[in-house]
Amino acid sequence: MLGKYPDNVKLVVKHFPLTSHRYAHTAATAALAANVQGKFWEFHSQLFQNYKDINDAKIQIIAKELGLDMDKFAKDMQSPAIKSLIDRDVNNGRQIGVRGTPTIFINGKAFKNQNLSEIYQVIETELKKKS
Protein backbone atom coordinates (compact mmCIF):
# COMPACT_ATOMS: atom_id res chain seq x y z
CA MET A 1 0.00 0.00 0.00
CA LEU A 2 2.77 2.43 0.86
CA GLY A 3 4.48 1.67 -2.42
CA LYS A 4 1.40 2.82 -4.31
CA TYR A 5 1.13 6.11 -2.40
CA PRO A 6 4.67 6.86 -1.16
CA ASP A 7 4.14 10.60 -0.83
CA ASN A 8 0.51 10.63 0.30
CA VAL A 9 -0.03 7.83 2.81
CA LYS A 10 1.53 7.40 6.20
CA LEU A 11 1.21 4.07 7.98
CA VAL A 12 1.11 4.25 11.76
CA VAL A 13 1.22 1.03 13.77
CA LYS A 14 -0.29 1.06 17.23
CA HIS A 15 -0.01 -1.90 19.55
CA PHE A 16 -3.18 -3.28 21.07
CA PRO A 17 -2.31 -6.69 22.53
CA LEU A 18 -5.51 -8.55 23.29
CA THR A 19 -5.87 -9.90 26.81
CA SER A 20 -7.51 -13.00 25.34
CA HIS A 21 -4.18 -14.01 23.74
CA ARG A 22 -1.73 -15.15 26.40
CA TYR A 23 1.36 -14.02 24.48
CA ALA A 24 0.04 -10.92 22.74
CA HIS A 25 1.71 -8.44 25.08
CA THR A 26 5.00 -10.34 24.93
CA ALA A 27 4.77 -10.43 21.13
CA ALA A 28 4.17 -6.67 20.95
CA THR A 29 7.11 -6.08 23.28
CA ALA A 30 9.30 -8.37 21.20
CA ALA A 31 8.41 -6.59 17.96
CA LEU A 32 9.39 -3.27 19.52
CA ALA A 33 12.57 -4.77 20.95
CA ALA A 34 13.39 -6.02 17.45
CA ASN A 35 12.69 -2.51 16.17
CA VAL A 36 15.58 -1.21 18.27
CA GLN A 37 17.79 -3.35 16.01
CA GLY A 38 15.99 -2.28 12.84
CA LYS A 39 14.00 -5.51 12.44
CA PHE A 40 10.44 -4.51 13.36
CA TRP A 41 8.77 -5.45 10.09
CA GLU A 42 10.64 -8.71 9.76
CA PHE A 43 9.72 -9.65 13.33
CA HIS A 44 6.14 -8.48 12.90
CA SER A 45 5.78 -10.57 9.76
CA GLN A 46 7.08 -13.67 11.52
CA LEU A 47 4.69 -13.14 14.42
CA PHE A 48 1.71 -13.06 12.08
CA GLN A 49 2.95 -16.03 10.07
CA ASN A 50 3.30 -18.02 13.30
CA TYR A 51 0.44 -16.54 15.33
CA LYS A 52 -0.97 -19.94 16.34
CA ASP A 53 2.39 -21.05 17.72
CA ILE A 54 3.49 -17.90 19.53
CA ASN A 55 4.95 -18.47 22.97
CA ASP A 56 8.12 -17.39 24.74
CA ALA A 57 10.23 -20.05 23.02
CA LYS A 58 8.92 -19.18 19.54
CA ILE A 59 9.65 -15.49 20.14
CA GLN A 60 13.25 -16.39 21.00
CA ILE A 61 13.51 -18.58 17.88
CA ILE A 62 12.26 -15.75 15.66
CA ALA A 63 14.75 -13.33 17.23
CA LYS A 64 17.63 -15.77 16.62
CA GLU A 65 16.52 -16.50 13.05
CA LEU A 66 16.50 -12.77 12.32
CA GLY A 67 20.04 -12.49 13.62
CA LEU A 68 19.24 -10.18 16.51
CA ASP A 69 21.80 -9.49 19.21
CA MET A 70 20.14 -11.70 21.82
CA ASP A 71 21.62 -9.90 24.85
CA LYS A 72 20.36 -6.56 23.56
CA PHE A 73 17.01 -8.12 22.63
CA ALA A 74 16.60 -9.52 26.17
CA LYS A 75 17.48 -6.13 27.66
CA ASP A 76 15.06 -4.30 25.36
CA MET A 77 12.30 -6.79 26.22
CA GLN A 78 12.50 -5.32 29.75
CA SER A 79 12.63 -1.69 28.58
CA PRO A 80 10.37 0.69 30.51
CA ALA A 81 10.16 2.86 27.36
CA ILE A 82 8.75 -0.04 25.33
CA LYS A 83 6.28 -0.93 28.09
CA SER A 84 5.21 2.71 28.25
CA LEU A 85 4.70 2.88 24.47
CA ILE A 86 2.48 -0.22 24.49
CA ASP A 87 0.49 1.10 27.47
CA ARG A 88 0.00 4.42 25.68
CA ASP A 89 -1.14 2.65 22.49
CA VAL A 90 -3.60 0.47 24.42
CA ASN A 91 -5.04 3.47 26.26
CA ASN A 92 -5.34 5.38 23.00
CA GLY A 93 -7.03 2.39 21.37
CA ARG A 94 -9.55 2.11 24.19
CA GLN A 95 -10.34 5.82 23.94
CA ILE A 96 -11.14 5.56 20.23
CA GLY A 97 -13.12 2.34 20.50
CA VAL A 98 -10.67 -0.32 19.33
CA ARG A 99 -11.91 -3.74 20.35
CA GLY A 100 -9.78 -6.09 18.26
CA THR A 101 -6.86 -6.42 15.94
CA PRO A 102 -6.16 -5.53 13.32
CA THR A 103 -8.19 -2.34 13.32
CA ILE A 104 -7.70 0.09 10.47
CA PHE A 105 -8.30 3.83 10.57
CA ILE A 106 -8.11 6.03 7.50
CA ASN A 107 -7.91 9.73 8.29
CA GLY A 108 -9.19 9.07 11.80
CA LYS A 109 -12.23 7.04 10.74
CA ALA A 110 -12.51 3.35 11.54
CA PHE A 111 -12.54 1.22 8.41
CA LYS A 112 -14.34 -2.05 9.05
CA ASN A 113 -13.57 -3.89 5.81
CA GLN A 114 -10.02 -5.17 5.42
CA ASN A 115 -10.27 -5.89 1.72
CA LEU A 116 -7.24 -4.25 0.12
CA SER A 117 -9.06 -3.05 -2.99
CA GLU A 118 -11.66 -1.31 -0.81
CA ILE A 119 -8.91 0.27 1.28
CA TYR A 120 -7.42 1.63 -1.95
CA GLN A 121 -10.83 3.06 -2.92
CA VAL A 122 -11.16 4.83 0.42
CA ILE A 123 -7.62 6.21 0.12
CA GLU A 124 -8.36 7.46 -3.41
CA THR A 125 -11.53 9.17 -2.14
CA GLU A 126 -9.64 10.79 0.74
CA LEU A 127 -6.87 11.96 -1.58
CA LYS A 128 -9.41 13.55 -3.92
CA LYS A 129 -10.88 15.46 -0.97
CA LYS A 130 -7.43 16.95 -0.34
CA SER A 131 -7.04 18.13 -3.94
Side-chain angles (χ1 to χ4, degrees):
M1 179 175 1
L2 295 177
K4 187 170 181 175
Y5 306 101
D7 298 323
N8 299 4
V9 173
K10 178 180 178 184
L11 174 66
V12 177
V13 174
K14 299 282 188 165
H15 300 275
F16 197 81
L18 301 175
T19 56
S20 61
H21 190 302
R22 181 176 176 191
Y23 294 99
H25 199 279
T26 303
T29 303
L32 288 170
N35 185 57
V36 174
Q37 297 183 49
K39 297 280 186 167
F40 174 82
W41 287 112
E42 295 92 334
F43 205 98
H44 182 271
S45 177
Q46 287 298 310
L47 289 172
F48 275 91
Q49 287 178 19
N50 295 282
Y51 75 96
K52 290 183 180 179
D53 301 319
I54 292 299
N55 56 36
D56 292 330
K58 185 64 176 177
I59 286 169
Q60 293 298 310
I61 289 168
I62 292 169
K64 287 176 187 170
E65 287 175 349
L66 293 176
L68 297 181
D69 174 329
M70 295 305 290
D71 290 335
K72 180 158 183 46
F73 181 71
K75 180 183 172 201
D76 291 332
M77 286 287 294
Q78 303 303 317
S79 167
I82 287 175
K83 180 188 180 320
S84 177
L85 176 62
I86 293 170
D87 290 345
R88 187 179 72 222
D89 285 355
V90 168
N91 288 333
N92 178 245
R94 286 183 181 138
Q95 289 172 350
I96 60 176
V98 172
R99 290 199 167 88
T101 60
T103 300
I104 298 171
F105 286 83
I106 299 175
N107 279 352
K109 298 176 205 147
F111 184 74
K112 298 197 185 325
N113 190 332
Q114 295 176 20
N115 177 304
L116 195 54
S117 64
E118 291 186 32
I119 292 172
Y120 285 142
Q121 288 175 341
V122 172
I123 290 171
E124 290 290 336
T125 301
E126 291 296 315
L127 290 173
K128 286 177 185 173
K129 287 181 187 177
K130 287 181 78 174
S131 298

